Amino acid sequence: MKVTILLRVPFLDKIPNLKTLVIALANKGVEIEIISSIDEKYPNPDFADYPNIKLTLVKMRKKKIEMPTSLKLLFSVLRSIIFSKSDYYIGGDDVACKILCLIRSRISFKYINFVLEYPNIDNKKEIRNIEVADYIITHDHWHSIFLRKYCNIQENQIMYLPNASYTDTHEMRSDYLSRRLNIDSNKIIVLHSGGLGNWFCCKELACSAKKWRHNYVLVFHTSHIVETNPYYIDIKKEVENCDNIFFSTNPVPNEELDELVSSAKIGIATYSIEDLGYRAENMGLAAGKIGNYLKCGVPVIATRVHSLSYLEKYKCGVLVDNTEQIEDAIKTILNDYNAYVEGAYKCYNELWHPKKYCEKIFDILKEGYSSSNHLK
């Protein structure tokens, strides 16, 4: 069986569940081709240990006279279809799905829409790109309910895969961040890992942390290079005289990220409902940072939305209405810390761990592959 994955954005490592799926399928002996773009701000995907994973990478357009990135990807997919057609083509983001749907209007193949983000419900073409898929891969039942409400699709078309990375639970504590950022070992490290932007309430979080008690430290670890980002520069100016806010701005691979996360006491996952709307309300198992915290036994403080209520159900986190409540949430977790750590591991293993989801996806794809070859 051969699967081609098309991804317009240049950061496969920032999409934990897609990378997890790639590795899970490769471990099953599936031949994988990844067609994607690359950008110097993000680390290139590395699958040196997997001879059955082939990378076809195109440089993102930097000049107006250069061929558009999407057109480069389209030609790469066409070459793939002409010279070595795959059994399935997976669109890893909206633009990739548009390209596949365009080609599919002329050439027949099995198409899977990997719903990386909730669709824009007012964009009929985006909705149509979901509706014409043979299968849809999404994060959880909250996403499934939403998609079935706005798209003409059936439940049996949908496969689930939480936004979790492929590494197993990490149960060893480390001093990674203390060493990397020269933080006193007696400090309580509260970590915000991943993206840095207004939709994550990062500036509000930093302003709140300025008033925390002296032994609480906030660390922003970014998944890509942000030194020239105006939002990052603005936050740095806001907290330049604070000695309890640190920035870790060098991206690290998944294996190293687990060590980094496990050196924090508590993880933060805040979202702007004003900016993200239903995407925040229905976050569910799409928040990769939450999955990573739980995998490392790090309790979570998150924005209060109904789809994150499982954090309190498993007693692995505390939900807050705004960033001003975070200091009290830290105290709540520290007062019963071991129970919250146990809850984190339990929640990850029962709800987030990708193994059972990947097994089911493989079984469904294998069944479709076998049926197609039988008909031939």
Side-chain angles (χ1 to χ4, degrees):
M1 184 163 66
K2 181 180 177 183
V3 174
T4 291
I5 295 169
L6 180 64
L7 186 65
R8 166 62 173 78
V9 294
F11 44 74
L12 178 58
D13 277 354
K14 280 187 65 182
I15 311 172
N17 58 341
L18 184 55
K19 187 170 183 179
T20 293
L21 181 62
V22 169
I23 291 173
L25 293 177
N27 283 332
K28 291 288 188 179
V30 177
E31 188 179 345
I32 306 284
E33 179 182 23
I34 298 171
I35 301 174
S36 185
S37 63
I38 54 174
D39 187 302
E40 63 271 10
K41 291 182 181 179
Y42 303 94
N44 292 343
D46 181 12
F47 295 101
D49 296 332
Y50 295 88
N52 54 332
I53 299 179
K54 174 188 174 184
L55 294 174
T56 301
L57 304 175
V58 304
K59 291 184 178 179
M60 292 196 73
R61 180 169 72 166
K62 299 295 182 183
K63 303 174 183 177
K64 288 185 178 181
I65 58 172
E66 189 180 352
M67 182 186 292
T69 307
S70 296
L71 198 55
K72 294 179 184 178
L73 294 171
L74 185 146
F75 286 138
S76 294
V77 176
L78 284 174
R79 281 194 294 270
S80 168
I81 292 173
I82 293 168
F83 294 107
S84 181
K85 190 174 181 180
S86 291
D87 300 289
Y88 296 96
Y89 286 82
I90 300 177
D93 55 30
D94 181 49
V95 175
C97 289
K98 287 178 182 177
I99 293 171
L100 290 178
C101 286
L102 177 63
I103 299 172
R104 198 171 183 241
S105 65
R106 296 289 185 267
I107 304 172
S108 177
F109 55 82
K110 287 190 176 179
Y111 152 59
I112 299 172
N113 190 312
F114 190 95
V115 182
L116 179 58
E117 302 281 356
Y118 277 109
N120 178 352
I121 58 178
D122 297 321
N123 188 324
K124 292 182 180 180
K125 287 186 178 179
E126 192 174 344
I127 296 296
R128 182 61 179 162
N129 289 342
I130 295 173
E131 293 178 334
V132 299
D134 294 288
Y135 296 107
I136 296 101
I137 298 176
T138 191
H139 301 93
D140 50 54
H141 72 274
W142 291 286
H143 285 71
S144 174
I145 291 169
F146 183 93
L147 292 174
R148 284 185 284 123
K149 179 178 179 180
Y150 292 102
C151 306
N152 183 23
I153 57 176
Q154 303 301 312
E155 190 171 359
N156 61 5
Q157 290 177 261
I158 298 174
M159 298 183 282
Y160 295 138
L161 185 58
N163 199 17
S165 58
Y166 59 89
T167 52
D168 288 326
T169 51
H170 191 94
E171 301 189 14
M172 291 184 62
R173 294 296 173 186
S174 80
D175 61 352
Y176 188 105
L177 285 171
S178 295
R179 286 186 288 105
R180 190 181 208 195
L181 302 175
N182 197 27
I183 299 172
D184 191 303
S185 59
N186 294 321
K187 300 289 186 178
I188 303 295
I189 295 178
V190 180
L191 173 65
H192 183 280
S193 178
L196 191 79
N198 192 55
W199 45 92
F200 297 129
C201 306
C202 293
K203 188 172 183 180
E204 293 86 345
L205 177 58
C207 290
S208 171
K210 288 165 65 175
K211 298 175 283 186
W212 290 355
R213 56 189 298 173
H214 73 280
N215 62 324
Y216 294 171
V217 167
L218 174 65
V219 173
F220 288 102
H221 172 72
T222 61
S223 55
H224 61 288
I225 297 170
V226 296
E227 272 76 5
T228 59
N229 184 319
Y231 189 83
Y232 166 74
I233 295 170
D234 192 29
I235 293 178
K236 285 278 285 185
K237 288 180 181 177
E238 181 72 34
V239 302
E240 60 184 350
N241 295 319
C242 299
D243 58 4
N244 71 326
I245 299 175
F246 295 80
F247 295 87
S248 167
T249 57
N250 293 320
V252 299
N254 283 66
E255 298 83 354
E256 199 172 327
L257 181 61
D258 292 344
E259 184 184 0
L260 184 153
V261 170
S262 69
S263 68
K265 198 79 171 177
I266 293 169
I268 295 284
T270 46
Y271 302 96
S272 170
I273 298 174
E274 181 180 351
D275 288 332
L276 295 173
Y278 60 81
R279 292 177 171 85
E281 291 283 359
N282 300 289
M283 185 64 65
L285 305 185
K289 60 168 66 72
I290 291 180
N292 221 135
Y293 296 147
L294 299 177
K295 179 178 66 173
C296 296
V298 175
V300 183
I301 297 172
T303 301
R304 189 183 304 281
V305 294
H306 70 97
S307 64
L308 295 181
S309 61
Y310 64 85
L311 292 173
E312 294 191 329
K313 176 184 175 183
Y314 276 92
K315 197 178 179 178
C316 59
V318 174
L319 302 181
V320 296
D321 297 305
N322 54 64
T323 54
E324 294 303 311
Q325 296 178 352
I326 288 177
E327 185 175 15
D328 286 340
I330 294 171
K331 295 175 187 175
T332 298
I333 291 172
L334 293 179
N335 284 339
D336 198 8
Y337 190 71
N338 289 337
Y340 277 95
V341 171
E342 289 177 13
Y345 285 128
K346 182 178 181 182
C347 181
Y348 183 78
N349 286 322
E350 292 185 5
L351 205 60
W352 275 85
H353 201 298
K355 184 178 180 180
K356 62 184 177 183
Y357 300 100
C358 287
E359 291 280 354
K360 188 164 186 179
I361 291 172
F362 173 74
D363 288 343
I364 291 171
L365 298 187
K366 185 181 178 183
E367 183 179 351
Y369 167 73
S370 300
S371 298
S372 296
N373 279 274
H374 178 71
L375 291 172
K376 291 177 183 177

